[in-house]
Structures are given as C-alpha cells and as structure tokens.
Amino acid sequence: DIQMTQSPSSLSGSVGDRVTISCRASQSISSYLNWYQQKPGKAPKLLIYAASSLQSGVPSRFSGSGSGTDFTLTISSLQPEDFATYYCQQSYSTPPPYTFGQGTKLEIK
Amino acid sequence: QVQLVESGGGVVQPGRSLRLSCAASGFTFSSYALHWVRQAPGQGLEWVAIISYGGSNTYYADSVKGRFTISRDNSKNTLHLQMNNLRAEDTAVYYCARDHFGGLVRGTMLNYWGQGTLVTVSS
C-alpha cells in the first residue's frame, strides 16, 4: 500500500502568517492528492483535490501544489477559523485503499 | 442539500458484531460510490472501505478485510457496514462519505461527509 507522510505533525502560527504543510507519498501518485480540514468534533471537509484544485466554497487563501511524491498545502494568511488539523489523502491506488497522512495540527501561537 | 446521517454505534464487547447505517438524502444515491472512514480517539483518519454505485465492487483496508462488509440498499438510500469479530482497536468514530464519482475512479475525492457514529469495543 502507498504510505503518506505529513510534516510537521504540528505547528503553530499567528493570524496573518503564511504556513506550509508538506505531504510525501511512498511512490509516485501523479497529482491524485487531496487535502482535508478537520475541526475538533467535526467531520473532515474537502479543501483541495487533484493536488491544486480548490473545492467550491473554499477561500482562495488555501492553495495546493506538487506532483509525483511531494505535495504542499499553503495558507497564505492565517485566519482564526483555520486553526484545525489537516490531512492529505492519495486516490491513486487502483484498487484502493485510499490512504491518509497522519495529520498536521495547526495551533494558535 | 447533501446529507449523510450515520447510526448504529454503541458499546460492544470484543468478538461481537455491530451494524452501522448511513442514511443519505439530497442527491441521487444510486449514482455515487460511498466510503467508510474511521478515526480512533485522538488519532488520524483511516480509510476503511468503498462500495461502487451499484454495489458490485467493494474494497477494504487490510485492517478490516474478512471482518467487515460494506453494502448498500439503493431502494432505501442507505449504506451499511457490518462489523464482525470486533477488536479493541476498532474503537473509533465511523464516518460515511460520498465519493465524487460512481465507480472506483483514480483521482477521486470524498466531497461530502456525515457527522459520524462512535463505536466502542470494550469488555
């Protein structure tokens, strides 16, 4: 199975900061990489699909990049509502499983 | 609007069985693949299983293969997860999620999620 590794596991930031979260796949997954945001006690929410496409309704301060094995989620200017845990997920495997990264917790500094 | 509502969670002893359900509304249920994803307390997300739009194709995570069965009833807009021989490590919130596509398509995404149902496996 394809393994997904996120870094860092946690980070802190202030409102207005630019932050970057990385995700690495154990083998090439082309651009079949999604990003989700999860707030405590809530279901995950799709932010980015196909590595760089913004899901409808998601603010433009979120962006994704990368292909092959290395991917990045960037928040250009942190807002209070962005403090959450972020997960990457690959959907390259055929057949599944569609594995998730272990998550990155973004906390207020 | 799309709604997914899970039910059936609870406390169960190791080795016993439990059946989860996910009632869907707001979209053409029979046109989309569906997933179960779980999250152990304080842990990350773990993909569990997928079923295609018609139910003919199913796949599982290795951790549940042979113990869990995903199924769907398109006449009732309901997804199920039959969980047998439960273990302590199956304790988690179980989410159902809708796929973007109907079949098993490379590059898909989970664009709608339910709120989850908690399963606790404990003696």
Side-chain angles (χ1 to χ4, degrees), chain B residues 77-99:
Chain B
N77 290 2
T78 304
L79 173 71
H80 298 290
L81 185 68
Q82 177 67 41
M83 305 185 294
N84 297 332
N85 191 20
L86 282 160
R87 306 167 179 168
E89 55 265 36
D90 296 319
T91 294
V93 173
Y94 285 74
Y95 296 100
C96 67
R98 200 199 81 175
D99 197 285

Side-chain angles (χ1 to χ4, degrees), chain A residues 48-72:
Chain A
I48 303 278
Y49 61 93
S52 60
S53 296
L54 199 65
Q55 173 70 350
S56 175
V58 174
S60 59
R61 62 181 180 273
F62 290 92
S63 63
S65 64
S67 66
T69 60
D70 292 306
F71 301 86
T72 299

Side-chain angles (χ1 to χ4, degrees), chain A residues 32 34 36 38 43 87 91-92, chain B residues 39 59 95 106-108 110 114:
Chain A
Y32 300 124
N34 306 315
Y36 300 85
Q38 187 181 33
Y87 295 92
S91 59
Y92 175 87
Chain B
Q39 186 169 36
Y59 292 95
Y95 296 100
R106 174 172 280 174
T108 192
L110 280 60

Side-chain angles (χ1 to χ4, degrees), chain A residues 13-93:
Chain A
S14 302
V15 173
D17 284 354
R18 178 185 179 92
V19 298
T20 297
I21 297 170
S22 296
C23 177
R24 174 166 288 179
S26 60
Q27 67 181 73
S28 177
I29 58 170
S30 184
S31 295
Y32 300 124
L33 190 282
N34 306 315
W35 289 98
Y36 300 85
Q37 175 194 64
Q38 187 181 33
K39 297 182 179 180
K42 301 295 186 181
K45 171 188 172 183
L46 178 65
L47 294 178
I48 303 278
Y49 61 93
S52 60
S53 296
L54 199 65
Q55 173 70 350
S56 175
V58 174
S60 59
R61 62 181 180 273
F62 290 92
S63 63
S65 64
S67 66
T69 60
D70 292 306
F71 301 86
T72 299
L73 173 69
T74 299
I75 309 173
S76 60
S77 178
L78 274 176
Q79 298 302 300
E81 60 268 29
D82 300 337
F83 293 96
T85 301
Y86 294 85
Y87 295 92
C88 61
Q89 182 207 25
Q90 63 84 14
S91 59
Y92 175 87
S93 296

Side-chain angles (χ1 to χ4, degrees), chain A residues 1 32 34 36 38 41-46 49-50 55 87 89 91-103, chain B residues 35 37 39 43-47 50 59-62 95 99 103-116:
Chain A
D1 294 350
Y32 300 124
N34 306 315
Y36 300 85
Q38 187 181 33
K42 301 295 186 181
K45 171 188 172 183
L46 178 65
Y49 61 93
Q55 173 70 350
Y87 295 92
Q89 182 207 25
S91 59
Y92 175 87
S93 296
T94 303
Y98 300 140
T99 42
F100 289 90
Q102 81 277 18
Chain B
H35 304 251
V37 175
Q39 186 169 36
Q43 302 302 309
L45 301 172
E46 180 186 14
W47 180 86
I50 184 175
Y59 292 95
Y60 301 89
D62 286 346
Y95 296 100
D99 197 285
L104 276 60
V105 177
R106 174 172 280 174
T108 192
M109 69 289 292
L110 280 60
N111 47 10
Y112 293 97
W113 297 65
Q115 286 306 301

